[in-house]
Amino acid sequence: MTAGEVSPREESRLETNDVQTLISEIAIRERGKELAQEIGKDYDGQPLTIVGVLTGSLVFLADLTRQLSIPHRIGVLQASSYRGATTVPGSLHVSLDLAPDLEGRHVLLLDDILDTGQTLSTLVEEVKRLGPLSVRTVVLLRKLGRQAVPLEPDYCGFEIPDVFVVGYGLDYNDEFRHLPFLAGLDPEDIARHCRR
Ligand code: XMP
């Protein structure tokens, strides 16, 4: 290894030291149970498909689907707006190639975080074109003071302040998704990380 390179050991230290817990693993699990109960009651006896938005919602989808006691299908679609080492959203790229057949199904569109609202409102319109019986939304997080597009999520896990969040599926430059809790990334740490 040459001077200036970051060793794998230093990389992992960076991951755990530079984040501050925002929402604990236990709090996520408890809130997940409540959401599952609410959703289970609302869709009882209905043909439900939960469609997660790749990649950030994967962990939330995996947990919620197992906490839900009613029969349902799951699927995914792709949307990406944050690319590379930046926290500034780029243009939205949507792909429905992986989406399951939604005709005759009630769709619950599941995303990790509602920020400006652009992603979810675009996806709702796209999914409607696939012929579902209805489309509703569930988000794990909603960032307060950021929304630019009017959309009221039907189910929301937590409202959070305007910080960049990682963990529990959410990433910074494809890192941190594996953390079992939600954490805020300090902008100074982001800048330092970019310089490496
Ligand atoms: P919009 O602005 O369209 O953004 O509501 C929603 C999408 O942007 C990503 N996003 C984040 N990802 N930490 C992340 O890891 C964040 O704090 C954050 N804020 C927005 C996310 O992909 C979400 O689906």
mmCIF file of all heavy atoms in Angstrom, residues 150-189:
data_model
loop_
_atom_site.group_PDB
_atom_site.id
_atom_site.type_symbol
_atom_site.label_atom_id
_atom_site.label_comp_id
_atom_site.label_asym_id
_atom_site.label_seq_id
_atom_site.Cartn_x
_atom_site.Cartn_y
_atom_site.Cartn_z
ATOM 1 N N PRO A 150 -46.038 18.510 -3.713
ATOM 2 C CA PRO A 150 -47.053 18.130 -2.727
ATOM 3 C C PRO A 150 -47.410 16.651 -2.821
ATOM 4 O O PRO A 150 -47.888 16.192 -3.858
ATOM 5 C CB PRO A 150 -48.273 19.009 -3.089
ATOM 6 C CG PRO A 150 -48.046 19.430 -4.498
ATOM 7 C CD PRO A 150 -46.581 19.368 -4.777
ATOM 8 N N LEU A 151 -47.118 15.917 -1.787
ATOM 9 C CA LEU A 151 -47.500 14.501 -1.714
ATOM 10 C C LEU A 151 -47.545 14.123 -0.233
ATOM 11 O O LEU A 151 -46.583 14.365 0.496
ATOM 12 C CB LEU A 151 -46.478 13.621 -2.438
ATOM 13 C CG LEU A 151 -46.817 12.119 -2.428
ATOM 14 C CD1 LEU A 151 -46.559 11.483 -3.782
ATOM 15 C CD2 LEU A 151 -46.055 11.366 -1.350
ATOM 16 N N GLU A 152 -48.680 13.616 0.192
ATOM 17 C CA GLU A 152 -48.832 13.206 1.585
ATOM 18 C C GLU A 152 -48.691 11.697 1.647
ATOM 19 O O GLU A 152 -49.525 10.979 1.103
ATOM 20 C CB GLU A 152 -50.236 13.645 2.053
ATOM 21 C CG GLU A 152 -50.403 13.869 3.532
ATOM 22 C CD GLU A 152 -49.341 14.756 4.156
ATOM 23 O OE1 GLU A 152 -49.005 15.818 3.581
ATOM 24 O OE2 GLU A 152 -48.834 14.369 5.219
ATOM 25 N N PRO A 153 -47.611 11.176 2.246
ATOM 26 C CA PRO A 153 -47.490 9.718 2.310
ATOM 27 C C PRO A 153 -48.626 9.130 3.157
ATOM 28 O O PRO A 153 -49.040 9.736 4.140
ATOM 29 C CB PRO A 153 -46.132 9.496 2.991
ATOM 30 C CG PRO A 153 -45.810 10.767 3.665
ATOM 31 C CD PRO A 153 -46.531 11.860 2.958
ATOM 32 N N ASP A 154 -49.118 7.971 2.741
ATOM 33 C CA ASP A 154 -50.224 7.359 3.479
ATOM 34 C C ASP A 154 -49.750 6.780 4.812
ATOM 35 O O ASP A 154 -50.501 6.742 5.775
ATOM 36 C CB ASP A 154 -50.878 6.276 2.611
ATOM 37 C CG ASP A 154 -51.514 6.884 1.374
ATOM 38 O OD1 ASP A 154 -52.580 7.509 1.523
ATOM 39 O OD2 ASP A 154 -50.916 6.806 0.275
ATOM 40 N N TYR A 155 -48.513 6.317 4.835
ATOM 41 C CA TYR A 155 -47.918 5.795 6.068
ATOM 42 C C TYR A 155 -46.495 6.337 6.158
ATOM 43 O O TYR A 155 -45.775 6.360 5.160
ATOM 44 C CB TYR A 155 -47.868 4.264 6.063
ATOM 45 C CG TYR A 155 -49.189 3.610 5.745
ATOM 46 C CD1 TYR A 155 -49.503 3.271 4.421
ATOM 47 C CD2 TYR A 155 -50.120 3.325 6.739
ATOM 48 C CE1 TYR A 155 -50.716 2.680 4.109
ATOM 49 C CE2 TYR A 155 -51.333 2.723 6.434
ATOM 50 C CZ TYR A 155 -51.622 2.403 5.113
ATOM 51 O OH TYR A 155 -52.818 1.820 4.806
ATOM 52 N N CYS A 156 -46.101 6.753 7.361
ATOM 53 C CA CYS A 156 -44.751 7.310 7.541
ATOM 54 C C CYS A 156 -44.170 6.817 8.862
ATOM 55 O O CYS A 156 -44.842 6.872 9.900
ATOM 56 C CB CYS A 156 -44.845 8.842 7.522
ATOM 57 S SG CYS A 156 -43.303 9.662 7.920
ATOM 58 N N GLY A 157 -42.933 6.328 8.796
ATOM 59 C CA GLY A 157 -42.287 5.812 9.999
ATOM 60 C C GLY A 157 -41.886 6.912 10.952
ATOM 61 O O GLY A 157 -42.362 6.988 12.085
ATOM 62 N N PHE A 158 -41.033 7.808 10.488
ATOM 63 C CA PHE A 158 -40.508 8.878 11.343
ATOM 64 C C PHE A 158 -40.363 10.177 10.552
ATOM 65 O O PHE A 158 -39.975 10.149 9.383
ATOM 66 C CB PHE A 158 -39.093 8.526 11.847
ATOM 67 C CG PHE A 158 -39.005 7.235 12.595
ATOM 68 C CD1 PHE A 158 -38.673 6.059 11.931
ATOM 69 C CD2 PHE A 158 -39.220 7.190 13.969
ATOM 70 C CE1 PHE A 158 -38.566 4.856 12.610
ATOM 71 C CE2 PHE A 158 -39.106 5.981 14.666
ATOM 72 C CZ PHE A 158 -38.781 4.823 13.983
ATOM 73 N N GLU A 159 -40.643 11.283 11.217
ATOM 74 C CA GLU A 159 -40.312 12.594 10.645
ATOM 75 C C GLU A 159 -38.974 13.005 11.239
ATOM 76 O O GLU A 159 -38.755 12.882 12.450
ATOM 77 C CB GLU A 159 -41.399 13.596 10.993
ATOM 78 C CG GLU A 159 -42.713 13.256 10.296
ATOM 79 C CD GLU A 159 -43.752 14.344 10.443
ATOM 80 O OE1 GLU A 159 -43.719 15.071 11.457
ATOM 81 O OE2 GLU A 159 -44.600 14.452 9.538
ATOM 82 N N ILE A 160 -38.060 13.469 10.360
ATOM 83 C CA ILE A 160 -36.703 13.788 10.835
ATOM 84 C C ILE A 160 -36.304 15.195 10.384
ATOM 85 O O ILE A 160 -36.856 15.720 9.418
ATOM 86 C CB ILE A 160 -35.664 12.771 10.294
ATOM 87 C CG1 ILE A 160 -35.670 12.751 8.746
ATOM 88 C CG2 ILE A 160 -35.907 11.380 10.855
ATOM 89 C CD1 ILE A 160 -34.462 12.106 8.142
ATOM 90 N N PRO A 161 -35.326 15.777 11.062
ATOM 91 C CA PRO A 161 -34.829 17.093 10.607
ATOM 92 C C PRO A 161 -34.044 16.959 9.309
ATOM 93 O O PRO A 161 -33.768 15.843 8.847
ATOM 94 C CB PRO A 161 -33.918 17.540 11.754
ATOM 95 C CG PRO A 161 -33.559 16.304 12.487
ATOM 96 C CD PRO A 161 -34.674 15.320 12.294
ATOM 97 N N ASP A 162 -33.671 18.090 8.752
ATOM 98 C CA ASP A 162 -32.982 18.110 7.457
ATOM 99 C C ASP A 162 -31.498 17.761 7.624
ATOM 100 O O ASP A 162 -30.635 18.633 7.627
ATOM 101 C CB ASP A 162 -33.149 19.507 6.826
ATOM 102 C CG ASP A 162 -32.501 19.578 5.458
ATOM 103 O OD1 ASP A 162 -32.085 18.525 4.945
ATOM 104 O OD2 ASP A 162 -32.408 20.696 4.919
ATOM 105 N N VAL A 163 -31.245 16.475 7.798
ATOM 106 C CA VAL A 163 -29.857 15.987 7.842
ATOM 107 C C VAL A 163 -29.721 14.878 6.813
ATOM 108 O O VAL A 163 -30.721 14.270 6.434
ATOM 109 C CB VAL A 163 -29.468 15.413 9.228
ATOM 110 C CG1 VAL A 163 -29.335 16.481 10.261
ATOM 111 C CG2 VAL A 163 -30.455 14.340 9.669
ATOM 112 N N PHE A 164 -28.493 14.629 6.363
ATOM 113 C CA PHE A 164 -28.291 13.526 5.429
ATOM 114 C C PHE A 164 -28.224 12.231 6.232
ATOM 115 O O PHE A 164 -27.427 12.104 7.151
ATOM 116 C CB PHE A 164 -27.029 13.704 4.590
ATOM 117 C CG PHE A 164 -27.034 12.786 3.406
ATOM 118 C CD1 PHE A 164 -27.777 13.086 2.283
ATOM 119 C CD2 PHE A 164 -26.343 11.581 3.442
ATOM 120 C CE1 PHE A 164 -27.835 12.208 1.203
ATOM 121 C CE2 PHE A 164 -26.387 10.702 2.366
ATOM 122 C CZ PHE A 164 -27.139 11.018 1.250
ATOM 123 N N VAL A 165 -29.095 11.291 5.870
ATOM 124 C CA VAL A 165 -29.268 10.082 6.670
ATOM 125 C C VAL A 165 -28.677 8.874 5.967
ATOM 126 O O VAL A 165 -28.826 8.721 4.753
ATOM 127 C CB VAL A 165 -30.776 9.818 6.897
ATOM 128 C CG1 VAL A 165 -30.978 8.731 7.938
ATOM 129 C CG2 VAL A 165 -31.477 11.075 7.298
ATOM 130 N N VAL A 166 -28.025 8.017 6.753
ATOM 131 C CA VAL A 166 -27.501 6.748 6.212
ATOM 132 C C VAL A 166 -27.865 5.608 7.167
ATOM 133 O O VAL A 166 -28.298 5.832 8.285
ATOM 134 C CB VAL A 166 -25.964 6.788 6.027
ATOM 135 C CG1 VAL A 166 -25.558 7.812 4.983
ATOM 136 C CG2 VAL A 166 -25.254 7.051 7.355
ATOM 137 N N GLY A 167 -27.646 4.395 6.679
ATOM 138 C CA GLY A 167 -27.920 3.206 7.489
ATOM 139 C C GLY A 167 -29.273 2.629 7.174
ATOM 140 O O GLY A 167 -30.102 3.267 6.512
ATOM 141 N N TYR A 168 -29.491 1.369 7.612
ATOM 142 C CA TYR A 168 -30.764 0.682 7.395
ATOM 143 C C TYR A 168 -31.194 0.766 5.922
ATOM 144 O O TYR A 168 -32.319 1.061 5.591
ATOM 145 C CB TYR A 168 -31.834 1.280 8.318
ATOM 146 C CG TYR A 168 -33.029 0.382 8.514
ATOM 147 C CD1 TYR A 168 -32.936 -0.810 9.227
ATOM 148 C CD2 TYR A 168 -34.259 0.727 7.993
ATOM 149 C CE1 TYR A 168 -34.038 -1.635 9.395
ATOM 150 C CE2 TYR A 168 -35.381 -0.089 8.161
ATOM 151 C CZ TYR A 168 -35.260 -1.261 8.864
ATOM 152 O OH TYR A 168 -36.358 -2.073 9.026
ATOM 153 N N GLY A 169 -30.217 0.577 5.040
ATOM 154 C CA GLY A 169 -30.495 0.591 3.599
ATOM 155 C C GLY A 169 -30.114 1.882 2.906
ATOM 156 O O GLY A 169 -29.837 1.898 1.708
ATOM 157 N N LEU A 170 -30.095 2.994 3.668
ATOM 158 C CA LEU A 170 -29.752 4.279 3.038
ATOM 159 C C LEU A 170 -28.241 4.427 2.961
ATOM 160 O O LEU A 170 -27.514 4.026 3.873
ATOM 161 C CB LEU A 170 -30.347 5.448 3.822
ATOM 162 C CG LEU A 170 -31.862 5.594 3.688
ATOM 163 C CD1 LEU A 170 -32.557 4.912 4.841
ATOM 164 C CD2 LEU A 170 -32.264 7.053 3.640
ATOM 165 N N ASP A 171 -27.797 5.043 1.880
ATOM 166 C CA ASP A 171 -26.351 5.069 1.635
ATOM 167 C C ASP A 171 -25.808 6.481 1.490
ATOM 168 O O ASP A 171 -26.535 7.437 1.216
ATOM 169 C CB ASP A 171 -26.042 4.323 0.341
ATOM 170 C CG ASP A 171 -26.430 5.137 -0.886
ATOM 171 O OD1 ASP A 171 -27.595 5.600 -0.944
ATOM 172 O OD2 ASP A 171 -25.584 5.337 -1.767
ATOM 173 N N TYR A 172 -24.493 6.556 1.659
ATOM 174 C CA TYR A 172 -23.761 7.697 1.138
ATOM 175 C C TYR A 172 -22.731 7.117 0.180
ATOM 176 O O TYR A 172 -21.853 6.351 0.614
ATOM 177 C CB TYR A 172 -23.061 8.496 2.258
ATOM 178 C CG TYR A 172 -22.066 9.458 1.673
ATOM 179 C CD1 TYR A 172 -22.521 10.550 0.933
ATOM 180 C CD2 TYR A 172 -20.710 9.241 1.771
ATOM 181 C CE1 TYR A 172 -21.627 11.393 0.324
ATOM 182 C CE2 TYR A 172 -19.815 10.087 1.165
ATOM 183 C CZ TYR A 172 -20.277 11.165 0.438
ATOM 184 O OH TYR A 172 -19.401 12.001 -0.181
ATOM 185 N N ASN A 173 -22.872 7.414 -1.120
ATOM 186 C CA ASN A 173 -21.942 6.897 -2.118
ATOM 187 C C ASN A 173 -21.808 5.370 -2.018
ATOM 188 O O ASN A 173 -20.716 4.830 -2.065
ATOM 189 C CB ASN A 173 -20.580 7.580 -1.947
ATOM 190 C CG ASN A 173 -19.768 7.537 -3.222
ATOM 191 O OD1 ASN A 173 -20.308 7.265 -4.290
ATOM 192 N ND2 ASN A 173 -18.478 7.769 -3.114
ATOM 193 N N ASP A 174 -22.960 4.728 -1.818
ATOM 194 C CA ASP A 174 -23.060 3.264 -1.711
ATOM 195 C C ASP A 174 -22.428 2.666 -0.460
ATOM 196 O O ASP A 174 -22.298 1.454 -0.350
ATOM 197 C CB ASP A 174 -22.484 2.559 -2.959
ATOM 198 C CG ASP A 174 -23.571 2.275 -3.978
ATOM 199 O OD1 ASP A 174 -24.749 2.149 -3.554
ATOM 200 O OD2 ASP A 174 -23.265 2.212 -5.168
ATOM 201 N N GLU A 175 -22.100 3.483 0.501
ATOM 202 C CA GLU A 175 -21.595 2.962 1.780
ATOM 203 C C GLU A 175 -22.668 3.148 2.847
ATOM 204 O O GLU A 175 -23.621 3.892 2.665
ATOM 205 C CB GLU A 175 -20.328 3.718 2.193
ATOM 206 C CG GLU A 175 -19.146 3.408 1.279
ATOM 207 C CD GLU A 175 -17.871 4.022 1.806
ATOM 208 O OE1 GLU A 175 -17.548 3.802 2.995
ATOM 209 O OE2 GLU A 175 -17.226 4.739 1.044
ATOM 210 N N PHE A 176 -22.464 2.479 3.969
ATOM 211 C CA PHE A 176 -23.285 2.606 5.185
ATOM 212 C C PHE A 176 -24.635 1.888 5.135
ATOM 213 O O PHE A 176 -25.362 1.900 6.112
ATOM 214 C CB PHE A 176 -23.548 4.084 5.556
ATOM 215 C CG PHE A 176 -22.323 4.920 5.755
ATOM 216 C CD1 PHE A 176 -21.976 5.885 4.826
ATOM 217 C CD2 PHE A 176 -21.523 4.733 6.863
ATOM 218 C CE1 PHE A 176 -20.842 6.673 5.006
ATOM 219 C CE2 PHE A 176 -20.387 5.511 7.052
ATOM 220 C CZ PHE A 176 -20.039 6.484 6.126
ATOM 221 N N ARG A 177 -25.000 1.293 3.993
ATOM 222 C CA ARG A 177 -26.327 0.660 3.914
ATOM 223 C C ARG A 177 -26.494 -0.438 4.952
ATOM 224 O O ARG A 177 -27.587 -0.745 5.390
ATOM 225 C CB ARG A 177 -26.544 0.026 2.534
ATOM 226 C CG ARG A 177 -26.705 1.014 1.390
ATOM 227 C CD ARG A 177 -27.238 0.288 0.156
ATOM 228 N NE ARG A 177 -26.975 0.996 -1.080
ATOM 229 C CZ ARG A 177 -27.730 1.971 -1.575
ATOM 230 N NH1 ARG A 177 -28.790 2.364 -0.916
ATOM 231 N NH2 ARG A 177 -27.423 2.557 -2.715
ATOM 232 N N HIS A 178 -25.383 -1.063 5.327
ATOM 233 C CA HIS A 178 -25.434 -2.231 6.204
ATOM 234 C C HIS A 178 -25.692 -1.887 7.671
ATOM 235 O O HIS A 178 -25.994 -2.775 8.461
ATOM 236 C CB HIS A 178 -24.103 -2.987 6.114
ATOM 237 C CG HIS A 178 -22.966 -2.153 6.619
ATOM 238 N ND1 HIS A 178 -22.436 -1.109 5.885
ATOM 239 C CD2 HIS A 178 -22.293 -2.183 7.793
ATOM 240 C CE1 HIS A 178 -21.465 -0.551 6.587
ATOM 241 N NE2 HIS A 178 -21.367 -1.178 7.744
ATOM 242 N N LEU A 179 -25.577 -0.635 8.064
ATOM 243 C CA LEU A 179 -25.772 -0.299 9.478
ATOM 244 C C LEU A 179 -27.198 -0.653 9.901
ATOM 245 O O LEU A 179 -28.148 -0.333 9.192
ATOM 246 C CB LEU A 179 -25.536 1.204 9.708
ATOM 247 C CG LEU A 179 -24.133 1.730 9.398
ATOM 248 C CD1 LEU A 179 -24.089 3.244 9.579
ATOM 249 C CD2 LEU A 179 -23.094 1.052 10.282
ATOM 250 N N PRO A 180 -27.376 -1.292 11.048
ATOM 251 C CA PRO A 180 -28.719 -1.713 11.464
ATOM 252 C C PRO A 180 -29.553 -0.579 12.060
ATOM 253 O O PRO A 180 -30.707 -0.759 12.397
ATOM 254 C CB PRO A 180 -28.435 -2.796 12.514
ATOM 255 C CG PRO A 180 -27.087 -2.475 13.047
ATOM 256 C CD PRO A 180 -26.319 -1.808 11.946
ATOM 257 N N PHE A 181 -28.946 0.600 12.218
ATOM 258 C CA PHE A 181 -29.658 1.765 12.755
ATOM 259 C C PHE A 181 -29.582 2.906 11.739
ATOM 260 O O PHE A 181 -28.867 2.805 10.730
ATOM 261 C CB PHE A 181 -29.024 2.197 14.093
ATOM 262 C CG PHE A 181 -27.545 2.452 13.988
ATOM 263 C CD1 PHE A 181 -27.053 3.714 13.691
ATOM 264 C CD2 PHE A 181 -26.631 1.407 14.169
ATOM 265 C CE1 PHE A 181 -25.686 3.946 13.576
ATOM 266 C CE2 PHE A 181 -25.252 1.628 14.056
ATOM 267 C CZ PHE A 181 -24.786 2.898 13.756
ATOM 268 N N LEU A 182 -30.325 3.984 12.002
ATOM 269 C CA LEU A 182 -30.282 5.162 11.128
ATOM 270 C C LEU A 182 -29.361 6.201 11.747
ATOM 271 O O LEU A 182 -29.409 6.442 12.954
ATOM 272 C CB LEU A 182 -31.680 5.746 10.955
ATOM 273 C CG LEU A 182 -32.577 4.930 10.021
ATOM 274 C CD1 LEU A 182 -34.042 5.142 10.356
ATOM 275 C CD2 LEU A 182 -32.304 5.313 8.567
ATOM 276 N N ALA A 183 -28.522 6.803 10.901
ATOM 277 C CA ALA A 183 -27.555 7.757 11.416
ATOM 278 C C ALA A 183 -27.517 9.003 10.543
ATOM 279 O O ALA A 183 -27.837 8.953 9.355
ATOM 280 C CB ALA A 183 -26.172 7.108 11.450
ATOM 281 N N GLY A 184 -27.133 10.122 11.169
ATOM 282 C CA GLY A 184 -26.951 11.365 10.420
ATOM 283 C C GLY A 184 -25.489 11.500 10.058
ATOM 284 O O GLY A 184 -24.615 11.154 10.846
ATOM 285 N N LEU A 185 -25.224 11.978 8.851
ATOM 286 C CA LEU A 185 -23.835 12.223 8.437
ATOM 287 C C LEU A 185 -23.557 13.705 8.541
ATOM 288 O O LEU A 185 -24.306 14.521 7.993
ATOM 289 C CB LEU A 185 -23.647 11.801 6.980
ATOM 290 C CG LEU A 185 -23.006 10.471 6.648
ATOM 291 C CD1 LEU A 185 -22.609 10.457 5.186
ATOM 292 C CD2 LEU A 185 -21.796 10.166 7.509
ATOM 293 N N ASP A 186 -22.480 14.021 9.230
ATOM 294 C CA ASP A 186 -22.070 15.406 9.366
ATOM 295 C C ASP A 186 -21.532 15.909 8.019
ATOM 296 O O ASP A 186 -20.688 15.242 7.419
ATOM 297 C CB ASP A 186 -20.963 15.436 10.425
ATOM 298 C CG ASP A 186 -20.667 16.846 10.871
ATOM 299 O OD1 ASP A 186 -20.538 17.710 9.989
ATOM 300 O OD2 ASP A 186 -20.558 17.062 12.095
ATOM 301 N N PRO A 187 -21.971 17.093 7.538
ATOM 302 C CA PRO A 187 -21.469 17.610 6.260
ATOM 303 C C PRO A 187 -19.947 17.709 6.221
ATOM 304 O O PRO A 187 -19.321 17.473 5.199
ATOM 305 C CB PRO A 187 -22.097 18.995 6.147
ATOM 306 C CG PRO A 187 -23.287 18.962 7.026
ATOM 307 C CD PRO A 187 -22.995 17.968 8.112
ATOM 308 N N GLU A 188 -19.321 18.018 7.377
ATOM 309 C CA GLU A 188 -17.844 18.102 7.408
ATOM 310 C C GLU A 188 -17.214 16.736 7.170
ATOM 311 O O GLU A 188 -16.183 16.617 6.512
ATOM 312 C CB GLU A 188 -17.373 18.638 8.758
ATOM 313 C CG GLU A 188 -17.458 20.136 8.824
ATOM 314 C CD GLU A 188 -16.913 20.666 10.136
ATOM 315 O OE1 GLU A 188 -16.125 19.961 10.785
ATOM 316 O OE2 GLU A 188 -17.295 21.787 10.500
ATOM 317 N N ASP A 189 -17.841 15.710 7.715
ATOM 318 C CA ASP A 189 -17.322 14.352 7.504
ATOM 319 C C ASP A 189 -17.499 13.942 6.050
ATOM 320 O O ASP A 189 -16.656 13.256 5.478
ATOM 321 C CB ASP A 189 -18.035 13.357 8.418
ATOM 322 C CG ASP A 189 -17.647 13.550 9.865
ATOM 323 O OD1 ASP A 189 -16.494 13.950 10.106
ATOM 324 O OD2 ASP A 189 -18.489 13.335 10.744
#
